[in-house]
Amino acid sequence: MTRFTIEDLERIVEARASASATDSYTRALIDAGPARCAKKLGEEGVEAALATVAGTKVDLASEAADVLYHLLVALKVRGVTLAEVMRVLEQRTGQSGLAEKASRKEP
């Protein structure tokens, strides 16, 4: 079992965001702005969805890794920390997913 965590990935994204764009894909994505980061996240999400339907476990794991990386880059470009996301998730655990979703719907 791996001991690598999403917090480890967040630290790597943070470190690579501080590098030069010629040395770091992460920095190049961030320099391209939120729209480019969103596009990449969307592309990876679609690939993960397709792997869910028609891929192997290895395919899905690989695509899920891409989604997590690109999500953290998107969060970074918008100044949102993983801790902020985790706080939202923690707040949602006090009720069922259906009840939480219903609470977000507009009347």
Side-chain angles (χ1 to χ4, degrees):
M1 186 88 183
T2 183
R3 294 178 190 248
F4 188 78
T5 68
I6 196 157
E7 289 83 3
D8 293 331
L9 181 57
E10 182 183 41
R11 284 188 287 276
I12 290 168
V13 166
E14 183 69 33
R16 292 182 181 171
S18 299
S20 74
T22 57
D23 296 329
S24 169
Y25 175 66
T26 301
R27 180 76 249 167
L29 278 175
I30 290 169
D31 286 350
R36 177 70 177 143
C37 294
K39 182 179 179 191
K40 285 302 297 176
L41 177 58
E43 289 170 2
E44 297 302 341
V46 168
E47 290 173 9
L50 294 172
T52 300
V53 173
T56 65
K57 287 176 69 172
V58 171
D59 295 335
L60 181 53
S62 178
E63 295 302 339
D66 290 345
V67 168
L68 290 175
Y69 163 76
H70 284 282
L71 175 59
L72 290 177
V73 173
L75 293 172
K76 174 69 178 160
V77 78
R78 292 300 311 269
V80 177
T81 66
L82 185 57
E84 290 171 290
V85 174
M86 298 310 286
R87 276 193 293 279
V88 171
L89 287 171
E90 183 178 29
Q91 291 168 355
R92 291 180 182 176
T93 62
Q95 57 185 323
S96 79
L98 294 175
E100 190 281 327
K101 187 174 181 177
S103 75
R104 290 187 280 143
K105 287 186 178 179
E106 296 194 25

